[in-house]
Amino acid sequence: MKRVQFEHSAIPYLFVAPQIIIIVVFFLWPAAQAIYQSFLLEDAFGLSSQFVWFRNYEDTILSESWLQAAGFTVLFSALVTFLSLALALLLAVKANEVIRGASTYKTTLMWAYAIAPPVAGLMGNLMFNPLIGDLYKFLNAIGWDFNHKLDSFDAGFVVVLISVWKQVSVNFIFFLSGLQGIPKSVLEASLMDCKSSLRRFWTITFPLLAPTTFFLMVINITYAFFETFGIIDTTTRGAPGGATTTLVFKVFQDGFRGADIGGSSAQSVVLMIMVLALTVVQFRFIERKVHY
Amino acid sequence: MKLKPLLAALALSTGILAPMQASAATEIQWWHAMGGRLGEVVNEIAEKYNGSQSDVVVVPTYKGGYEDTMTAGIAAFRAKEQPHIIQIFDAGAATIINAKGATVPVADLMTDFSIEDYIAGVRYFYADSAGKMIGLPFNSSTPLLYFNKDAFKEAGIDAPPKTWEEFEAIAPKLKEAGYIALAQSHSPWIFSENFHSRHNLQMATGNNGYDSTDVELLYNNDHMKMHWGKVKQWLDDGHYGFYGRAWGDNQDAFVQKKVAMWLGSSGSFGGLTKSAEFEFGTTFLPYWESITKEPTGTFIGGAALFAMAGHEDDEYKAIADFFGYMTSSENQVFWHKETGYVPITEAAYEDAKAEGYYESTPDAEIGILQLSLPGGEWTKGYRLGYYVQIREVMYKHFDDIFSGSASVDDAFAAMEKESNALLVRFNDTYK
């Protein structure tokens, strides 16, 4: 009997080519460039360059300002991820239970989804303006000696608040659809077994939401690391005293403002490694606990 | 950083957007950082010039703020798509001038060029160590003290302070009248760079950085620390308002009558006449009598126009012709009156005077008078690498002084260490 051999055609490769080209041109090539540049000391205009091994890494990531930014980034990302997930989950569970006017609640909560981070930042900046900002005046009126221009805690509060506000609606949409995907029969069965709604939530609903939560966690950490750049740039710009400078913002400051290409490339490479490591950890260790 | 795709995108967009030239006129691309009203004036200048002759067409393009414009120019240069003329600001001067082969010096470009034609305060800021002018000073400004005359009347004060000692005497009176005495909009420029020029103090080794890139910053000195100790004291006593580092937020505090005096730019004059609903005056940047009895002038801030390398000979002729128009008295007086930036040539200043402009608006002359004050060894400016980042370092530590999280001594020690590390990096990169 003759073995059936499929003819290999070039057509499938043609179909995936656009995606592959996009990945190569916009992701792999720039990443390779960043790695290459991170070993060079080169003037901004590219007229002279020298290979310096790890000099750029030593100069930048061992500096106090980088370490300060790294510390803030970790704290900031943890806070933004946790708070925006927790708040969105609470809102989704409550909105899911509402019967009268449910769509009004849902639509209102989803609204902020379309707002870009820099726009959210500009709005926040106005609300926290020391001369005309309502939130600034309100916080001072209730007895909080609030001054985000000088106090690093207050500045952190501003950027976390805006970043969380912007992200809650995204998470809300996912949690709500996740909740609606839980079979009614399971929920009804649990209702027979347990009276406490809180206990039912933690033992039945929450584990069933785990795939959604895991997905959102990955998305939110990426958001907190990278996309909040627009919020930082339009509000505190890393002030006061570098207290709200994230790693991405520092890459921007050194590379795009300061024209230090080698130094900011080295920082990008380190950031790339950090995110890669974080993703590995998430998929290796946390995803194991997720049941699909 | 991932510059390459950016370059490609830039190259594409400029290539597509550049209007097709039907005639034989040489097209000159001019990238600038003048937004809002200033941008309109830039366009007017280009239109006037284009209308005045038929050989050259200047196309101005707004590229965002100073840093954005510099970054765009650098990216374009690396993609060999650079504009003919680019506006580079004071803090970026070292980056472009030290990159050998990125620009063509103005002094070489222009026929019958003489540096003596320019007013004293602007001559050498964009020149090399031998005194050869590299960039053509364009929007030149200098820090001035603006004061609210109504507030001064309410507080019973006759004249604005000449010295910081006088300031300390009147600040409590203004506080009683319900005002914070002072705010300012740019602490590196006003309270550091020009602080040194006003008191004729050296701010960096190697002739303020003009002679070499192997230099160290000298900000960690007793006079600077004394000044910043005082500023912190004023903040705590309610005589100094800090509204963040954004230029506009501090200017707004003056416009909204929260503060009675504001240190800003001579270029802010035009905008303030429109926004301030009270009578205000301008005067020189105050000095400390305890440091010097003979204060010296300030140097210019703002930006200059650089002719970028890598173009054809006829294009350089066109650039030279346009630069000739830019420095003409007629254009300088127009620019000066429209924007409040100072005229850069002696002839233009004389023309504005002859017109009687300063009799009707005496405040517009204060900036030029300050730039024409007796100079000293250290009033020519500075040339420091990675100065954009050094300013970031300064802002960071000034914040720490204000918030009290670092003492003045500690803040300046840390500033010195971090700034000098950046200067070492710059020297190793550009040597």
Side-chain angles (χ1 to χ4, degrees):
Chain A
M1 211 173 90
K2 209 182 152 201
R3 269 175 82 188
V4 179
Q5 187 98 45
F6 290 107
E7 280 283 313
H8 283 286
S9 143
I11 288 177
Y13 295 105
L14 216 62
F15 283 135
V16 293
Q19 184 64 33
I20 300 285
I21 291 170
I22 284 172
I23 288 174
V24 170
V25 172
F26 290 103
F27 297 96
L28 297 181
W29 175 244
Q33 278 282 318
I35 293 168
Y36 173 62
Q37 290 282 356
S38 74
F39 293 108
L40 298 179
L41 266 187
E42 187 177 67
D43 74 273
F45 291 87
L47 296 164
S48 69
S49 72
Q50 30 182 329
F51 191 80
V52 289
W53 286 109
F54 293 96
R55 163 84 187 269
N56 289 325
Y57 292 87
E58 282 166 36
D59 282 359
T60 52
I61 64 172
L62 293 181
S63 73
E64 270 171 53
S65 55
W66 191 87
L67 293 172
Q68 184 190 18
F72 175 72
T73 307
V74 170
L75 181 70
F76 172 77
S77 302
L79 275 173
V80 169
T81 307
F82 176 74
L83 289 175
S84 55
L85 282 176
L87 267 173
L89 183 60
L90 180 72
L91 289 168
V93 168
K94 292 297 171 198
N96 199 32
E97 285 167 3
V98 171
I99 297 163
R100 202 184 292 265
S103 61
T104 312
Y105 280 110
K106 288 172 193 167
T107 314
T108 317
L109 281 164
M110 285 176 202
W111 234 338
Y113 177 66
I115 294 172
V119 178
L122 279 176
M123 284 164 29
N125 207 26
L126 277 179
M127 286 194 265
F128 282 106
N129 184 299
L131 293 169
I132 54 162
D134 290 329
L135 270 175
Y136 182 89
K137 286 178 182 160
F138 170 75
L139 290 174
N140 276 292
I142 61 167
W144 181 352
D145 186 17
F146 184 86
N147 184 358
H148 62 297
K149 303 285 185 189
L150 278 184
D151 189 295
S152 47
F153 178 84
D154 295 356
F157 173 80
V158 169
V159 288
V160 169
L161 182 78
I162 300 170
S163 305
V164 168
W165 176 83
K166 154 79 191 85
Q167 192 64 5
V168 158
S169 59
V170 181
N171 297 343
F172 172 79
I173 295 171
F174 281 98
F175 273 132
L176 193 65
S177 57
L179 284 169
Q180 286 167 354
I182 297 174
K184 277 263 165 4
S185 54
V186 179
L187 293 174
E188 277 161 11
S190 71
L191 202 56
M192 311 272 275
D193 290 337
C194 177
K195 217 175 81 182
S196 158
S197 66
L198 202 65
R199 183 124 182 259
R200 280 203 314 275
F201 174 78
W202 287 117
T203 51
I204 305 293
T205 315
F206 190 69
L208 285 170
L209 269 180
T212 312
T213 313
F214 177 71
F215 164 76
L216 284 178
M217 199 179 83
V218 176
I219 296 291
N220 277 266
I221 289 176
T222 321
Y223 163 79
F225 257 84
F226 295 100
E227 282 174 62
T228 50
F229 167 81
I231 291 169
I232 307 271
D233 190 40
T234 46
T235 53
T236 61
R237 302 206 135 199
T244 59
T245 305
T246 56
L247 290 174
V248 176
F249 193 71
K250 194 162 164 46
V251 167
F252 168 76
Q253 271 184 335
D254 290 349
F256 281 81
R257 299 271 130 155
D260 178 1
I261 294 168
S264 70
S265 294
Q267 292 176 48
S268 324
V269 172
V270 172
L271 200 56
M272 214 146 59
I273 294 168
M274 280 172 74
V275 174
L276 211 64
L278 203 64
T279 315
V280 169
V281 167
Q282 284 171 338
F283 278 91
R284 287 288 300 265
F285 300 104
I286 301 177
E287 207 199 13
R288 279 190 192 166
K289 300 204 166 76
V290 175
H291 300 284
Y292 290 98
Chain B
M1 267 311 295
K2 294 151 189 164
L3 275 173
K4 275 282 157 79
L6 194 82
L7 305 184
L10 262 171
L12 265 176
S13 61
T14 49
I16 290 164
L17 292 176
M20 303 298 269
Q21 279 316 127
S23 67
T26 311
E27 189 181 293
I28 298 299
Q29 292 290 337
W30 174 17
W31 288 5
H32 66 84
M34 305 273 88
R37 173 70 195 133
L38 295 172
E40 289 168 23
V41 181
V42 163
N43 290 337
E44 275 176 56
I45 290 177
E47 271 166 38
K48 277 189 186 175
Y49 173 71
N50 292 340
S52 73
Q53 43 73 48
S54 57
D55 297 333
V56 185
V57 176
V58 170
V59 184
T61 310
Y62 173 61
K63 284 282 165 185
Y66 284 141
E67 291 96 341
D68 303 315
T69 305
M70 183 162 96
T71 308
I74 287 169
F77 188 87
R78 294 175 75 106
K80 302 194 168 37
E81 295 285 347
Q82 67 271 33
H84 301 87
I85 302 170
I86 188 159
Q87 183 186 5
I88 299 284
F89 68 135
D90 49 6
T95 302
I96 190 161
I97 292 174
N98 283 303
K100 301 277 175 291
T103 62
V104 178
V106 173
D108 294 344
L109 209 57
M110 291 171 74
T111 44
D112 55 86
F113 175 88
S114 167
I115 206 160
E116 302 299 319
D117 293 345
Y118 297 81
I119 68 170
V122 311
R123 269 176 213 164
Y124 296 108
F125 193 93
Y126 299 103
D128 65 13
S129 56
K132 180 181 188 180
M133 197 184 269
I134 312 288
L136 182 70
F138 173 47
N139 55 323
S140 302
S141 56
T142 190
L144 293 181
L145 180 78
Y146 291 85
F147 61 101
N148 181 332
K149 287 186 179 169
D150 298 348
F152 272 52
K153 232 173 266 165
E154 278 172 52
I157 304 162
D158 304 325
K162 282 192 188 64
T163 64
W164 289 117
E165 281 87 354
E166 284 176 30
F167 168 83
E168 290 193 310
I170 63 169
K173 289 186 198 163
L174 286 163
K175 192 180 180 184
E176 242 166 74
Y179 292 93
I180 295 172
L182 179 77
Q184 58 86 29
S185 272
H186 201 310
S187 33
W189 185 49
I190 299 170
F191 273 179
S192 309
E193 294 147 27
N194 276 296
F195 175 87
H196 284 73
S197 175
R198 193 85 171 100
H199 299 98
N200 200 19
L201 302 169
Q202 188 175 2
M203 62 182 262
T205 58
N207 190 20
N208 273 4
Y210 279 100
D211 288 352
S212 162
T213 48
D214 183 14
V215 292
E216 283 182 4
L217 203 61
L218 299 174
Y219 278 157
N220 190 11
N221 64 60
D222 290 343
H223 297 310
M224 256 302 251
K225 286 195 276 191
M226 180 278 284
H227 181 70
W228 277 91
K230 288 285 193 181
V231 176
K232 166 67 174 160
Q233 184 72 47
W234 300 337
L235 181 79
D236 293 344
D237 294 346
H239 301 323
Y240 182 83
F242 179 69
Y243 300 89
R245 59 176 271 192
W247 182 285
D249 291 344
N250 291 286
Q251 184 172 347
D252 286 349
F254 179 66
V255 171
Q256 293 179 21
K257 302 180 208 170
K258 286 259 196 290
V259 300
M261 285 177 271
W262 172 66
L263 287 165
S265 156
S266 56
S268 313
F269 182 75
L272 275 179
T273 49
K274 290 197 179 71
S275 59
E277 288 166 346
F278 51 84
E279 216 185 316
F280 67 87
T282 55
T283 188
F284 294 160
L285 178 66
Y287 63 94
W288 284 102
E289 213 174 357
S290 61
I291 299 177
T292 178
K293 295 266 187 309
E294 289 161 4
T296 41
T298 51
F299 53 77
I300 48 168
L305 301 181
F306 289 87
M308 293 196 89
H311 295 290
E312 305 294 327
D313 284 349
D314 57 329
E315 290 171 318
Y316 285 116
K317 257 186 218 136
I319 297 171
D321 189 59
F322 177 60
F323 278 180
Y325 177 80
M326 289 297 283
T327 49
S328 70
S329 260
E330 177 205 356
N331 179 60
Q332 282 295 321
V333 172
F334 169 73
W335 175 246
H336 174 46
K337 279 160 84 173
E338 287 296 317
T339 63
Y341 283 117
V342 299
I344 56 166
T345 60
E346 296 278 3
Y349 176 39
E350 291 306 323
D351 280 2
K353 242 196 266 184
E355 259 181 43
Y357 178 54
Y358 303 125
E359 277 149 40
S360 54
T361 28
D363 286 319
E365 195 181 10
I366 304 292
I368 311 161
L369 291 175
Q370 181 170 283
L371 284 169
S372 314
L373 285 174
E377 198 180 349
W378 306 113
T379 56
K380 61 180 157 294
Y382 62 91
R383 175 75 38 79
L384 295 168
Y386 286 148
Y387 200 69
V388 179
Q389 283 106 309
I390 291 177
R391 277 183 172 175
E392 286 299 328
V393 169
M394 293 163 74
Y395 273 122
K396 182 172 136 87
H397 293 293
F398 291 153
D399 282 351
D400 288 346
I401 291 174
F402 282 146
S403 72
S405 61
S407 70
V408 173
D409 284 338
D410 291 349
F412 273 94
M415 189 191 298
E416 182 176 46
K417 187 170 152 249
E418 288 170 40
S419 304
N420 286 338
L422 284 164
L423 288 169
V424 168
R425 257 185 87 72
F426 188 84
N427 180 44
D428 290 344
T429 308
Y430 287 80
K431 69 187 170 192

